[in-house]
Amino acid sequence: MSVVGRRPSESELASFRNRVKAHIAEYAPAIEAREGHRAPETPAQEALLRTWFASLFEAGLIGADWPVEHGGRADHHPLHDRIVSEEILRARAPRPVDQVNLAAHVLLHFGSDDQKRTLLPLIRSSRHVWCQLLSEPDAGSDIAAIRTRGSRHDDGGWVIDGQKTWITDGHWADMGLALVRTDPASARHHGLSVFTVPLDAEGVEVRPIRTIGDAIEVNEVFLTGVRLGPDNLIGEEGQGWSIIMAGLDFERFGIGGNVILLELLIGDLVEVARHAYIDDVPALESTDIRQKVAELAVEVEVAKAFIDDHVERLTSGDEQPGDGSIAKLSFAETYHQVAAYGAELAACVTAVGDTAPAVQAAKQRLRECWLWSRAYTISGGSSEMMRNILAKRRLHLPSR
């Protein structure tokens, strides 16, 4: 993707932010973003989401970091991406599908000219939504332990057999980015390859998994004798580990914009504590509640400060080993702490008076955030994996 260029001035960034706000106001669908309920629930919603995502590409607000010949902007800077993410979150508008960004990154860096020419325009028009076919039943965050097999066919193509699970957006995605073991004698991160898999191909079966929040966000995907052509292989055979790791590192860059989720979360918590009642007394007048809310607000500010610093180092090329893992871990664990306490408080208080509708909406969002919060501690690499990475890369501790 594009090289980081001149940092825009504050006035230029403010002008860009206004442009993003105007686009959201004009084109965002009337679908309020809900944590744990990001996938469309009806064909009509899906059509609205695809149109919305395509408008963001068309306006150069997402995909702007792509090479200009593939639709990117010559004046792109990573801070533009963060502004887009922040304003979409603040507006509670639907967020673009993360897996599409990872797929585009992989195609742009490792795809053939034919793959780029064929697949990238379909992403920009949102005719293709992508999912990641990485995790498996016995290899969750440890994707080096995958067992899905790819066997080369006589015509140079491949036959894929295996099972993937916890596949976000798999039930409405058009394409999957699959990590497959193509060397049966290999182990761990050796002998892996990456394929593009059309989800309407014969032998692909998608089984939705209903979450505790009563939504379908993730899926099981069964691959039984799925035949793929030679052009479905991305990069070289056996290059899969480095390809996927490069993609996941890019994915973690996007954590910066997610600090707005922490702001929204603490805002809902304060709304409930300030305007709801326990035994006819405002909740925030309780010393214990006031103390806990203050402690969580401090945790949010600490997480925001580190993530802000992390993004600044990324944009200046001064990232330190493990920074991305700290940022991801800080965001995910803080989000869970605030959401868990918010859901607990929401169950104990009563909303009355003129503020009742706003308090009820905040309570509902806190419950949904809590139910979804554990997903953040797993997706993109579990908190346990992040701690392992920190132990090795930052603290230089031995593996055993």
Side-chain angles (χ1 to χ4, degrees):
M1 302 215 178
S2 61
V3 176
V4 176
R6 178 186 68 84
R7 183 189 180 97
S9 68
E10 291 305 312
S11 63
E12 289 171 327
L13 290 175
S15 176
F16 181 79
R17 189 179 294 276
N18 289 334
R19 177 185 159 202
V20 173
K21 290 180 178 178
H23 186 89
I24 293 171
E26 183 173 356
Y27 292 102
I31 303 173
E32 182 175 344
R34 298 168 58 196
E35 291 291 88
H37 295 259
R38 291 178 60 180
E41 297 178 353
T42 66
Q45 281 190 356
E46 179 177 335
L48 288 172
L49 289 180
R50 288 181 185 265
T51 299
W52 162 235
F53 299 152
S55 81
L56 292 169
F57 276 112
E58 180 65 24
L61 300 184
I62 60 175
D65 56 337
W66 296 18
V68 172
E69 63 268 26
H70 292 298
R73 291 200 334 263
D75 66 343
H76 169 266
H77 189 277
L79 290 176
H80 292 147
D81 298 332
R82 184 170 186 186
I83 287 172
V84 172
S85 177
E86 288 176 348
E87 293 306 322
I88 288 176
L89 288 168
R90 285 197 176 104
R92 299 192 188 276
R95 308 203 296 273
V97 178
D98 300 332
Q99 290 75 19
V100 173
N101 293 331
L102 183 140
H105 176 83
V106 166
L107 289 168
L108 285 165
H109 277 82
F110 302 99
S112 66
D113 289 341
D114 285 343
Q115 287 170 336
K116 295 175 186 177
R117 185 167 50 251
T118 301
L119 296 173
L120 292 176
L122 295 173
I123 289 176
R124 297 192 74 90
S125 66
S126 284
R127 283 179 284 171
H128 273 182
V129 168
W130 286 68
C131 64
Q132 300 170 18
L133 300 173
L134 304 181
S135 297
E136 297 186 5
D138 296 320
S141 293
D142 184 16
I143 59 174
I146 68 164
R147 297 187 297 182
T148 295
R149 303 287 181 175
S151 304
R152 191 184 291 276
H153 200 262
D154 293 341
D155 61 3
W158 298 84
V159 178
I160 310 299
D161 290 278
Q163 178 185 353
K164 301 291 183 175
T165 194
W166 308 121
I167 307 304
T168 304
D169 294 313
H171 60 298
W172 71 292
D174 307 282
M175 298 289 293
L177 194 68
L179 186 64
V180 176
R181 191 166 299 282
T182 49
D183 180 357
S186 66
R188 301 298 298 164
H189 56 274
H190 301 287
L192 301 172
S193 302
V194 174
F195 293 88
T196 63
V197 179
L199 294 191
D200 61 356
E202 185 176 352
V204 176
E205 181 186 359
V206 180
R207 297 181 188 174
I209 300 172
R210 190 164 292 277
T211 67
I212 193 174
D214 195 28
I216 296 174
E217 293 285 303
V218 294
N219 308 262
E220 292 179 293
V221 178
F222 295 84
L223 307 165
T224 307
V226 179
R227 298 189 64 134
L228 302 175
D231 55 346
N232 288 93
L233 176 67
I234 296 181
E236 301 293 329
E237 180 182 349
Q239 194 184 5
W241 181 257
S242 59
I243 291 175
I244 291 299
M245 287 301 101
L248 290 176
D249 284 343
F250 166 79
E251 182 183 40
R252 289 171 189 147
F253 183 91
I255 199 71
N258 284 344
V259 295
I260 301 304
L261 286 175
L262 297 179
E263 289 184 6
L264 295 174
L265 196 58
I266 204 72
D268 281 335
L269 178 59
V270 171
E271 176 78 14
V272 170
R274 179 174 291 155
H275 297 295
Y277 291 76
I278 298 178
D279 297 330
D280 298 325
V281 178
L284 205 56
E285 291 187 12
S286 165
T287 301
D288 290 344
I289 292 175
R290 189 165 59 249
Q291 176 70 23
K292 185 63 176 179
V293 171
E295 289 174 357
L296 290 172
V298 169
E299 290 295 325
V300 166
E301 290 304 315
V302 170
K304 286 170 52 184
F306 181 83
I307 294 169
D308 287 343
D309 188 53
H310 169 58
V311 171
E312 287 298 322
R313 289 199 299 275
L314 277 173
T315 58
S316 64
D318 190 34
E319 183 184 16
Q320 300 300 310
D323 274 2
S325 296
I326 296 175
K328 199 272 181 185
L329 187 63
S330 179
F331 165 78
E333 295 298 329
T334 303
Y335 183 99
H336 174 69
Q337 288 178 44
V338 178
Y341 182 74
E344 179 183 351
L345 184 64
C348 300
V349 298
T350 303
V352 296
D354 295 339
T355 61
V359 174
Q360 293 290 11
K363 288 170 66 174
Q364 178 64 22
R365 287 193 293 265
L366 287 168
R367 293 189 194 100
E368 291 180 346
C369 288
W370 172 59
L371 292 173
W372 188 245
S373 63
R374 279 304 183 196
Y376 280 124
T377 68
I378 298 171
S379 63
S382 68
S383 292
E384 291 77 12
M385 293 294 289
M386 295 301 101
R387 292 185 178 98
N388 284 341
I389 290 172
L390 285 172
K392 294 176 182 178
R393 298 184 185 176
R394 193 67 164 248
L395 302 178
H396 305 292
L397 297 177
S399 297
R400 295 184 183 274

